[in-house]
Amino acid sequence: MSEANQGSSLFPNYARYPIAIVKGEGSWLWDDKGKKYLDFVSGIAVTNLGHAPHRIKEALVKQLDELWHVSNLYQIPNQEAAAKLLTDNSCADAVFFCNSGAEANEAAIKLARRYHQKIAETGRYEIISFYQSFHGRTLATLTATGQDKVKEGFAPLPEGFKHVPLNDIPALEAAITDKTAAIMLEMVQAEGGIHPVDEAFVQHIAKLCKEQGILLIIDEIQTGMGRTGKLFAYEHYGIEPDIFTLAKGIGSGFPVGATLAKGYLAEAFGPGSHGSTFGGTPLATAAVKATVETIVGEKLAERAADMGQYLMGRLQDQLGAHPSVVEVRGKGLIIGIECTEPVASVVSEAQQRGLLILTAGPNVIRLLPNLLVSREEADLAVTILSSIFAERTAAV
Ligand code: PLP
């Protein structure tokens, strides 16, 4: 066992920081020694409403008193209501609930294949996705992921996956064959370094998909639920995916995933075709319902757009001209600061100064504040980051 994991009964699969967070409220976290942190990680885009949001807590506590789990053998009114809210507020007509992002993408891949095999009867099965993408860690979703590091040691991988460079129309066109079932992409590649996809590329994909009977799958697991300034990031582009996936922020911290699709795909998931014991429990979907109602009712996507513009502007002002900053980019409240060198030490220094941030690849700082973050909190984060960068310049 590695030194870092000494004394732990857990697998050493996470490189954890040596801090234990024990309490959270709004944008703030406290560790077991009482130190307070401003949280610009949000559990990696999960606690979009901040920590312990009152309305979600109330919904969960009420449901805890009534019923936790019954199985999908029975009608689950909360699941129906949560699905209706999601379809009323998106281009989708049907929802499948599961427990994580990887599971939601796994279901999306299965749905695309099954549609082509059972409904359209084209026999197509191939999924085209993009280099630097991240779609999860099940065997199919890590195969769809465009990063070799998540695949190492897991061969043989499932067949029927291809990768092309993002924003490269000729490469995409060359990869399409009569076996192409779906094209799968993130609107902002998140784990891959905060790369928003080009508008023209998205429009071209949507057109190709329509012309050639290929399904468009959008992975909204990190970008969905208001984070980019729209409820779902695909709305920025005026397109409608055939399938899109959600997880992370959909339950405000309660583990839930969802695969959403157009009505013409619904029959592909007939009785017995797919399922999950814990998918859409009364408890999980109480969290989804309260979360969607809050984000839509309180116009938090619009708020994220405004705050994102503010924060991005402040970061560009304060850090944009720094010699080690290449670019500040993002959409709404998913922001990346690309640097000329690895940024792990910036994350550690920020932690010491009471600010939690994360990376997106070795050279990119990733900021994911909650959608209710205040200007004062945004200013504080900018001040801490500016001081770290200024001290670095002074030290050179
Ligand atoms: N897709 C995207 C875009 C993600 O960012 C992630 C997680 O980071 C996943 C899929 C996988 O989600 P999960 O970790 O819940 O399985």
Side-chain angles (χ1 to χ4, degrees):
M1 192 160 286
S2 79
E3 217 176 286
N5 210 47
Q6 217 120 54
S8 172
S9 305
L10 298 166
F11 272 108
N13 57 321
Y14 300 111
R16 297 174 198 270
Y17 293 110
I19 53 174
I21 306 290
V22 292
K23 183 176 145 57
E25 198 183 310
S27 302
W28 297 89
L29 291 169
W30 286 263
D31 71 14
D32 58 353
K33 302 194 176 57
K35 182 171 171 179
K36 188 177 173 185
Y37 301 86
L38 176 58
D39 181 16
F40 269 42
V41 174
S42 303
I44 318 189
V46 169
T47 52
N48 281 4
L49 302 180
H51 294 284
H54 186 69
R55 192 161 164 191
I56 317 306
K57 184 177 147 192
E58 273 194 332
L60 280 170
V61 168
K62 180 173 171 287
Q63 194 58 47
L64 273 170
D65 277 339
E66 290 170 5
L67 180 71
W68 300 9
H69 176 86
V70 284
S71 149
N72 286 299
L73 288 169
Y74 310 101
Q75 309 284 324
I76 299 176
N78 275 355
Q79 199 181 115
E80 285 290 348
K84 171 117 181 43
L85 265 172
L86 285 168
T87 52
D88 283 352
N89 286 286
S90 74
C91 67
D93 305 300
V95 184
F96 166 76
F97 284 108
C98 53
N99 311 285
S100 70
E103 240 190 288
N105 281 339
E106 185 86 17
I109 292 164
K110 286 179 70 178
L111 182 64
R113 285 190 172 176
R114 203 167 149 99
Y115 166 80
H116 278 291
Q117 287 170 39
K118 296 278 185 190
I119 308 284
E121 296 184 344
T122 64
R124 298 181 188 188
Y125 58 87
E126 232 165 49
I127 311 291
I128 300 178
S129 54
F130 297 88
Y131 292 126
Q132 302 311 322
S133 62
F134 185 82
H135 297 298
R137 291 180 184 273
T138 61
L139 275 175
T141 59
L142 75 79
T143 308
T145 293
Q147 303 184 43
D148 288 342
K149 66 181 184 200
V150 308
K151 307 180 196 207
E152 269 169 34
F154 296 119
L157 301 178
E159 281 176 36
F161 292 85
K162 270 187 186 172
H163 299 90
V164 295
L166 191 69
N167 298 327
D168 185 336
I169 292 174
L172 176 64
E173 285 182 344
I176 292 173
T177 68
D178 60 358
K179 297 279 173 282
T180 307
I183 295 172
M184 180 169 187
L185 82 161
E186 297 158 86
M187 296 282 92
V188 180
Q189 284 190 337
E191 301 299 312
I194 317 298
H195 296 289
V197 62
D198 285 353
E199 165 94 40
F201 189 64
V202 178
Q203 300 298 340
H204 196 80
I205 292 181
K207 185 168 153 275
L208 278 179
C209 284
K210 216 164 242 138
E211 283 168 5
Q212 304 195 29
I214 298 166
L215 298 173
L216 176 57
I217 305 174
I218 307 286
D219 178 340
E220 292 265 8
I221 285 158
Q222 196 150 157
T223 55
M225 306 317 292
R227 174 139 308 269
T228 68
K230 298 273 187 195
L231 187 57
F232 306 114
Y234 71 77
E235 296 171 37
H236 289 287
Y237 299 87
I239 56 140
E240 293 196 348
D242 300 285
I243 303 172
F244 71 97
T245 52
L246 298 170
K248 292 191 180 281
I250 191 181
S252 296
F254 201 97
V256 193
T259 307
L260 298 92
K262 291 282 198 187
Y264 44 83
L265 287 150
E267 287 309 307
F269 268 178
S273 57
H274 188 63
S276 166
T277 295
F278 289 124
T281 66
L283 207 46
T285 43
V288 174
K289 209 165 131 272
T291 300
V292 181
E293 278 167 358
T294 305
I295 294 176
V296 173
E298 296 181 13
K299 300 197 181 326
L300 297 186
E302 290 87 329
R303 190 178 190 284
D306 291 346
M307 280 306 300
Q309 205 174 12
Y310 177 73
L311 179 56
M312 189 99 74
R314 294 276 348 256
L315 288 165
Q316 262 151 358
D317 279 355
Q318 297 295 309
L319 301 176
H322 192 278
S324 62
V325 171
V326 177
E327 190 184 21
V328 181
R329 60 174 178 256
K331 233 180 177 59
L333 286 172
I334 179 166
I335 297 177
I337 306 166
E338 183 173 344
C339 296
T340 51
E341 53 199 36
V343 293
S345 61
V346 178
V347 174
S348 304
E349 274 183 54
Q351 230 172 61
Q352 278 163 23
R353 295 170 200 217
L355 172 67
L356 300 185
I357 54 175
L358 74 165
T359 59
N363 290 12
V364 179
I365 296 166
R366 180 171 20 162
L367 305 180
L368 297 165
N370 68 71
L371 311 188
L372 289 156
V373 68
S374 68
R375 281 192 176 219
E376 293 70 29
E377 289 161 348
D379 288 342
L380 179 57
V382 173
T383 302
I384 292 172
L385 283 171
S386 308
S387 68
I388 294 171
F389 277 87
E391 284 166 32
R392 293 188 161 215
T393 322
V396 173

Coordinates of all heavy atoms in Angstrom, one line a residue, residues 54-97:
H54 N -31.6 25.0 1.8 CA -32.8 24.8 2.7 C -33.9 24.0 2.0 O -34.5 23.1 2.5 CB -33.2 26.1 3.2 CG -34.3 26.0 4.2 ND1 -34.1 25.4 5.5 CD2 -35.6 26.3 4.2 CE1 -35.2 25.4 6.1 NE2 -36.2 25.9 5.4
R55 N -34.2 24.5 0.8 CA -35.4 23.9 0.1 C -35.2 22.4 -0.3 O -36.2 21.6 -0.2 CB -35.6 24.7 -1.2 CG -37.0 24.5 -1.8 CD -37.3 25.6 -2.8 NE -38.4 25.1 -3.6 CZ -38.8 25.8 -4.7 NH1 -38.2 26.9 -5.0 NH2 -39.8 25.3 -5.4
I56 N -34.0 22.1 -0.6 CA -33.8 20.7 -1.0 C -33.8 19.8 0.3 O -34.3 18.7 0.3 CB -32.4 20.5 -1.7 CG1 -32.2 21.6 -2.8 CG2 -32.3 19.1 -2.3 CD1 -33.3 21.8 -3.8
K57 N -33.2 20.4 1.3 CA -33.2 19.7 2.6 C -34.6 19.4 3.1 O -34.9 18.3 3.5 CB -32.4 20.5 3.6 CG -32.2 19.9 5.0 CD -31.4 20.7 5.9 CE -31.9 20.6 7.3 NZ -31.3 21.6 8.2
E58 N -35.4 20.4 3.0 CA -36.8 20.3 3.4 C -37.5 19.2 2.6 O -38.2 18.3 3.2 CB -37.6 21.6 3.2 CG -37.5 22.5 4.3 CD -38.5 23.6 4.2 OE1 -38.9 24.0 3.1 OE2 -38.9 24.2 5.3
A59 N -37.3 19.1 1.3 CA -37.9 18.1 0.5 C -37.4 16.7 0.9 O -38.2 15.8 0.9 CB -37.6 18.4 -1.0
L60 N -36.1 16.6 1.1 CA -35.6 15.3 1.5 C -36.0 14.9 2.9 O -36.4 13.7 3.1 CB -34.0 15.4 1.5 CG -33.4 15.3 0.1 CD1 -31.9 15.6 0.1 CD2 -33.6 13.9 -0.5
V61 N -36.1 15.8 3.8 CA -36.5 15.4 5.2 C -38.0 15.0 5.2 O -38.3 14.0 5.8 CB -36.3 16.6 6.2 CG1 -37.0 16.4 7.5 CG2 -34.8 16.9 6.4
K62 N -38.8 15.7 4.4 CA -40.2 15.3 4.3 C -40.3 13.9 3.7 O -41.0 13.0 4.2 CB -40.9 16.3 3.4 CG -42.4 16.0 3.2 CD -43.1 17.2 2.4 CE -44.5 16.8 2.0 NZ -44.6 15.9 0.9
Q63 N -39.5 13.6 2.6 CA -39.6 12.3 2.0 C -39.0 11.2 2.9 O -39.5 10.1 2.9 CB -38.8 12.4 0.7 CG -39.1 11.2 -0.2 CD -40.5 11.0 -0.6 OE1 -41.2 11.9 -0.9 NE2 -41.0 9.8 -0.4
L64 N -38.0 11.6 3.7 CA -37.4 10.6 4.7 C -38.4 10.1 5.6 O -38.4 9.0 6.1 CB -36.2 11.3 5.4 CG -34.8 11.2 4.8 CD1 -33.9 12.1 5.6 CD2 -34.3 9.8 4.8
D65 N -39.3 11.0 6.0 CA -40.4 10.6 6.9 C -41.5 9.7 6.3 O -42.2 9.0 7.0 CB -41.1 11.9 7.4 CG -40.4 12.6 8.6 OD1 -39.6 11.9 9.2 OD2 -40.6 13.8 8.8
E66 N -41.6 9.8 4.9 CA -42.7 9.1 4.3 C -42.2 7.8 3.6 O -42.8 6.7 4.0 CB -43.3 10.0 3.2 CG -44.0 11.1 3.8 CD -44.5 12.2 2.8 OE1 -44.2 12.0 1.6 OE2 -45.0 13.2 3.2
L67 N -41.2 7.8 2.8 CA -40.8 6.6 2.0 C -39.5 6.8 1.4 O -39.3 7.8 0.7 CB -41.9 6.3 1.0 CG -41.7 5.1 0.1 CD1 -41.9 3.8 0.9 CD2 -42.6 5.1 -1.1
W68 N -38.6 5.8 1.5 CA -37.3 5.9 0.9 C -37.2 5.2 -0.4 O -36.6 5.7 -1.4 CB -36.2 5.4 1.8 CG -36.1 6.0 3.2 CD1 -37.0 6.9 3.7 CD2 -35.1 5.8 4.1 NE1 -36.6 7.3 5.0 CE2 -35.4 6.6 5.3 CE3 -34.0 5.0 4.2 CZ2 -34.6 6.6 6.4 CZ3 -33.2 5.0 5.3 CH2 -33.5 5.8 6.4
H69 N -37.6 4.0 -0.5 CA -37.3 3.1 -1.6 C -38.5 2.1 -1.8 O -38.9 1.5 -0.8 CB -36.0 2.4 -1.4 CG -35.7 1.4 -2.5 ND1 -35.1 1.8 -3.7 CD2 -36.0 0.1 -2.7 CE1 -34.9 0.7 -4.5 NE2 -35.5 -0.3 -3.9
V70 N -38.9 1.9 -3.1 CA -39.9 0.8 -3.3 C -39.6 -0.1 -4.5 O -40.2 -1.1 -4.6 CB -41.3 1.4 -3.6 CG1 -42.0 1.8 -2.3 CG2 -41.3 2.4 -4.7
S71 N -38.7 0.3 -5.4 CA -38.3 -0.4 -6.6 C -39.2 0.1 -7.8 O -40.4 0.5 -7.5 CB -38.5 -1.9 -6.5 OG -38.9 -2.5 -7.7
N72 N -38.7 0.0 -8.9 CA -39.4 0.4 -10.1 C -40.4 -0.6 -10.6 O -41.0 -0.5 -11.7 CB -38.4 0.7 -11.3 CG -37.7 2.1 -11.0 OD1 -38.4 3.1 -10.9 ND2 -36.4 2.0 -10.8
L73 N -40.7 -1.6 -9.7 CA -41.9 -2.5 -9.9 C -43.2 -1.7 -9.8 O -44.2 -2.1 -10.3 CB -41.9 -3.6 -8.9 CG -40.8 -4.7 -9.0 CD1 -40.8 -5.5 -7.7 CD2 -41.1 -5.5 -10.2
Y74 N -43.1 -0.5 -9.1 CA -44.3 0.2 -8.8 C -44.2 1.6 -9.4 O -43.2 2.1 -9.7 CB -44.5 0.3 -7.3 CG -44.4 -1.1 -6.7 CD1 -43.3 -1.5 -6.0 CD2 -45.5 -2.0 -6.8 CE1 -43.2 -2.8 -5.5 CE2 -45.4 -3.3 -6.3 CZ -44.2 -3.7 -5.6 OH -44.1 -4.9 -5.2
Q75 N -45.4 2.3 -9.4 CA -45.4 3.7 -9.8 C -44.7 4.5 -8.7 O -44.9 4.2 -7.5 CB -46.9 4.2 -9.9 CG -47.8 3.4 -10.7 CD -47.6 3.6 -12.2 OE1 -47.3 4.7 -12.6 NE2 -47.7 2.5 -12.9
I76 N -43.9 5.5 -9.1 CA -43.2 6.4 -8.2 C -43.6 7.8 -8.5 O -43.1 8.4 -9.4 CB -41.7 6.1 -8.2 CG1 -41.4 4.7 -7.9 CG2 -41.0 7.1 -7.3 CD1 -39.9 4.3 -7.9
P77 N -44.6 8.4 -7.8 CA -45.1 9.7 -8.1 C -44.0 10.8 -8.2 O -44.0 11.6 -9.1 CB -46.1 10.0 -7.0 CG -46.6 8.7 -6.5 CD -45.4 7.8 -6.6
N78 N -43.0 10.8 -7.3 CA -41.9 11.8 -7.4 C -41.2 11.6 -8.7 O -40.7 12.6 -9.3 CB -40.9 11.6 -6.2 CG -41.4 12.3 -5.0 OD1 -42.4 13.0 -5.0 ND2 -40.6 12.1 -3.9
Q79 N -41.0 10.4 -9.1 CA -40.2 10.2 -10.3 C -40.9 10.7 -11.5 O -40.3 11.4 -12.4 CB -40.0 8.7 -10.5 CG -38.8 8.3 -11.4 CD -38.6 6.8 -11.6 OE1 -38.8 6.3 -12.7 NE2 -38.3 6.1 -10.5
E80 N -42.3 10.5 -11.6 CA -43.1 11.0 -12.6 C -43.0 12.5 -12.6 O -42.9 13.2 -13.7 CB -44.6 10.6 -12.5 CG -44.9 9.2 -12.8 CD -44.8 8.9 -14.3 OE1 -44.7 9.8 -15.1 OE2 -44.8 7.7 -14.6
A81 N -43.1 13.1 -11.4 CA -43.2 14.6 -11.3 C -41.8 15.2 -11.8 O -41.7 16.2 -12.5 CB -43.5 15.0 -9.9
A82 N -40.7 14.5 -11.3 CA -39.4 15.1 -11.7 C -39.2 14.9 -13.2 O -38.6 15.9 -13.8 CB -38.3 14.3 -10.9
A83 N -39.6 13.8 -13.8 CA -39.5 13.6 -15.2 C -40.3 14.7 -16.0 O -39.8 15.3 -17.0 CB -39.9 12.2 -15.6
K84 N -41.5 15.0 -15.5 CA -42.3 16.0 -16.2 C -41.7 17.4 -16.1 O -41.6 18.1 -17.1 CB -43.7 16.0 -15.5 CG -44.7 17.1 -15.9 CD -45.9 16.5 -16.6 CE -46.9 17.5 -17.1 NZ -46.4 18.7 -17.8
L85 N -41.1 17.7 -15.0 CA -40.4 19.0 -14.8 C -39.2 19.1 -15.8 O -39.0 20.1 -16.5 CB -39.8 19.1 -13.4 CG -40.7 19.8 -12.4 CD1 -40.0 19.7 -11.0 CD2 -40.8 21.3 -12.8
L86 N -38.5 18.0 -15.9 CA -37.3 18.0 -16.8 C -37.8 18.1 -18.3 O -37.2 18.8 -19.1 CB -36.5 16.7 -16.6 CG -35.6 16.8 -15.3 CD1 -35.0 15.4 -15.0 CD2 -34.5 17.8 -15.4
T87 N -38.8 17.3 -18.7 CA -39.3 17.4 -20.1 C -39.9 18.7 -20.4 O -39.8 19.2 -21.5 CB -40.2 16.2 -20.4 OG1 -41.2 16.1 -19.5 CG2 -39.4 14.9 -20.4
D88 N -40.7 19.2 -19.4 CA -41.3 20.6 -19.6 C -40.3 21.6 -19.9 O -40.6 22.7 -20.5 CB -42.2 21.0 -18.4 CG -43.5 20.2 -18.4 OD1 -43.8 19.5 -19.4 OD2 -44.2 20.3 -17.4
N89 N -39.1 21.5 -19.3 CA -38.1 22.5 -19.4 C -36.9 22.1 -20.4 O -35.8 22.7 -20.3 CB -37.5 22.8 -18.0 CG -38.5 23.6 -17.2 OD1 -38.7 24.8 -17.4 ND2 -39.2 22.9 -16.3
S90 N -37.2 21.2 -21.2 CA -36.1 20.8 -22.2 C -36.7 20.3 -23.5 O -38.0 20.3 -23.6 CB -35.3 19.6 -21.6 OG -36.0 18.4 -21.6
C91 N -35.9 19.8 -24.4 CA -36.4 19.3 -25.7 C -36.8 17.9 -25.6 O -37.2 17.3 -26.6 CB -35.4 19.6 -26.8 SG -33.9 18.6 -26.6
A92 N -36.6 17.3 -24.4 CA -36.8 15.8 -24.3 C -38.2 15.5 -24.0 O -39.0 16.3 -23.5 CB -35.9 15.2 -23.2
D93 N -38.6 14.2 -24.3 CA -40.0 13.7 -24.0 C -40.0 12.6 -23.0 O -41.0 12.2 -22.5 CB -40.6 13.3 -25.3 CG -40.6 14.3 -26.3 OD1 -41.2 15.4 -26.1 OD2 -40.0 14.1 -27.4
A94 N -38.8 12.0 -22.8 CA -38.8 10.8 -21.9 C -37.5 10.8 -21.0 O -36.5 11.2 -21.5 CB -38.9 9.5 -22.7
V95 N -37.6 10.3 -19.8 CA -36.5 10.3 -18.9 C -36.3 9.0 -18.3 O -37.2 8.3 -17.9 CB -36.7 11.3 -17.7 CG1 -35.5 11.5 -16.8 CG2 -37.2 12.7 -18.2
F96 N -35.0 8.5 -18.2 CA -34.7 7.3 -17.4 C -33.8 7.8 -16.3 O -32.7 8.5 -16.5 CB -33.9 6.3 -18.3 CG -33.2 5.3 -17.5 CD1 -34.0 4.2 -17.0 CD2 -31.8 5.3 -17.3 CE1 -33.3 3.2 -16.2 CE2 -31.2 4.3 -16.5 CZ -32.0 3.3 -16.0
F97 N -34.1 7.5 -15.0 CA -33.3 7.9 -13.9 C -32.4 6.8 -13.5 O -32.7 5.6 -13.4 CB -34.2 8.3 -12.7 CG -34.9 9.6 -12.8 CD1 -36.2 9.7 -13.1 CD2 -34.1 10.8 -12.7 CE1 -36.8 10.9 -13.2 CE2 -34.7 12.0 -12.9 CZ -36.1 12.1 -13.1

